[in-house]
Amino acid sequence: MPLAVLCGPPCSGKTSLAKKIADELSKMTTCPDGIEVVSDADIYDGSSFSRDAIYTNQNVEKQMRGRLKDQVTKSLTSSKLIILDAQNYIKGDPIYIIQFSYNSVAFGNVDSYENLTRRTFINPQRYELFCVVKAAKTCQCVIFINCSKERSVMLNSTSQLYSEETISALHDRFEPPQSAARWDSPLIEITPESIESFDFQQLNEFLSNSRALPPNLSTQNPPRQRAEMLYDLDKLTQRLVSEIFDKVSAAEIGQTVLITTDAQKESEKLKVHKKLTMPELQRIRRHFLNFYKSHSFKDPQQIPTVFLQFVNNAMI
C-alpha cells in the first residue's frame, strides 16, 4: 500500500487530518496489514528535548528527522497504508544541480559559481521519502496544508508547543511542495479551514489507482550470474579484444572490419574511427564486464554485439 505524506507548517491541523484520513480510508479500502499513522509527535515526545530545543539545534533536529525516516522505511510495505504526520518542510542542506555555460554539471553552493545557466533545487526530506517509496515499489501522495503564519501563531497560542520565534523561523524555512516535481506528485493542497470538507474519496482514488513507482537501479540487487557464465564471458571478451586489436591495427582509418562473434563464424561489422591500443581495449572490456554484472541479457547471443557497440562508442 502507498504512503500519504502530510506536510505543512506547525499548528496547521496535520494531526487532526491524519486521524480523519485513517478513520475514513479504513472504511473505503482494505489493507491486509491495516493503516498506520507515523507521527513526528511520537518521535519528538519520546526524546528528552522540547520542540523549541529540537528546532534550535541543527544536529538534534537532523537526528529526529532521521528517526522519522527510519520509522517510515521500516513500516512501509506493499500491504500496509502509511500516513506520515509531519511537517516535511526542510529547506536546509539543499542539493543544487548546477549547469554551466559549457554544459558541465557540478554540485555545491550556487552563489559561489559564475556563468550559471540553470539550477534545480531538491527538497532533501521529501525527496528522500520519495526514494524510500520507490525502493518499496509502491506509490505516494502528498497532502499540503497551506496555513498562514498568523493562523499558526493563533492555533499555537492554545497548545504552546512552540515559541513565536520558532513558529516564525519554521514558516520561513518551509519549502512548499510543487506539483511539477515528481517527489511532490500527486499533490493535494488544502487550507486549515477546508479540513472538515476534505475529499477523502479523491485521496482514496489517488492511492488506489496510482501505479507503483519503478525502483532506481541503484537500489536493486544485481541479477545473480552463474559462475560458469562469468567465466565464459571473460573468455569471449578476451577473444574479441585480441581479434579487434589485430584487425583494427591492420586496417586504415575509415575502413570496416569483420569481427567473428560466435562459433558459427558469424561476423559483425566494425568501422575503424581510430586506432585503439591494447590497454584501451582492456579498459573497455572491464567497463563492459561491470555493465554486464548489473544488467541481465535475455539472449546471450546479444553479448558480442553489445560489446562491439561499446568498442564502437569508444572510437567515436
Side-chain angles (χ1 to χ4, degrees), residues 19-20 37 42 65 68 71 83 155 205 226 236 267:
K19 293 178 180 177
K20 290 178 180 293
V37 177
D42 296 334
R65 289 200 308 268
L68 195 65
Q71 183 62 39
I83 301 171
L155 294 174
E205 291 176 0
R226 295 180 294 109
L236 171 63
S267 301

Side-chain angles (χ1 to χ4, degrees), residues 21-37:
I21 291 174
D23 292 339
E24 293 296 328
L25 291 192
S26 64
K27 304 172 186 176
M28 299 180 184
T29 185
T30 302
C31 304
D33 291 339
I35 299 175
E36 179 179 349
V37 177

Side-chain angles (χ1 to χ4, degrees), residues 153-310:
V153 171
M154 182 189 70
L155 294 174
N156 181 62
S157 62
T158 57
S159 61
Q160 295 294 319
L161 292 174
Y162 307 90
S163 66
E164 288 193 21
E165 292 77 10
T166 302
I167 288 278
S168 178
L170 290 175
H171 266 273
D172 293 339
R173 295 167 58 188
F174 187 81
E175 180 73 17
Q178 305 291 331
S179 59
R182 64 186 186 277
W183 51 88
D184 288 336
S185 178
L187 175 64
I188 299 176
E189 182 174 345
I190 62 173
T191 62
E193 294 80 8
S194 60
I195 289 179
E196 293 299 326
S197 58
F198 184 80
D199 190 349
F200 298 100
Q201 185 61 42
Q202 179 192 23
L203 175 61
N204 184 53
E205 291 176 0
F206 273 142
L207 298 177
S208 301
N209 300 330
S210 297
R211 293 190 303 171
L213 298 172
N216 291 326
L217 179 63
S218 60
T219 66
Q220 301 304 294
N221 293 324
R224 298 184 64 181
Q225 307 290 349
R226 295 180 294 109
E228 59 270 23
M229 184 62 191
L230 295 176
Y231 175 74
D232 293 341
L233 179 66
D234 184 73
K235 287 177 54 180
L236 171 63
T237 53
Q238 286 282 23
R239 181 186 67 78
L240 289 173
V241 162
S242 298
E243 184 174 349
I244 291 170
F245 178 74
D246 292 339
K247 292 188 175 181
V248 168
S249 298
E252 299 293 333
I253 302 296
Q255 287 186 340
T256 300
V257 297
L258 294 178
I259 306 298
T260 305
T261 56
D262 56 23
Q264 283 73 36
K265 304 299 181 181
E266 294 188 9
S267 301
E268 288 275 351
K269 294 181 179 180
L270 179 66
K271 187 172 182 178
V272 182
H273 297 280
K274 71 172 185 177
K275 299 297 182 73
L276 293 174
T277 65
M278 182 58 74
E280 288 176 324
L281 285 170
Q282 290 292 356
R283 185 168 61 251
I284 295 170
R285 189 180 79 92
R286 289 194 296 271
H287 288 168
F288 176 77
L289 293 177
N290 290 332
F291 172 81
Y292 178 83
K293 291 175 183 178
S294 60
H295 296 74
S296 58
F297 290 84
K298 294 181 179 180
D299 183 8
Q301 301 299 323
Q302 297 176 337
I303 294 176
T305 301
V306 176
F307 180 71
L308 290 178
Q309 291 175 356
F310 264 70

Side-chain angles (χ1 to χ4, degrees), residues 128-147:
E128 287 178 358
L129 292 171
F130 173 76
C131 292
V132 169
V133 172
K134 286 172 69 74
K137 299 180 181 180
T138 183
C139 58
Q140 70 166 21
C141 179
V142 177
I143 305 166
F144 171 40
I145 304 180
N146 193 349
C147 181

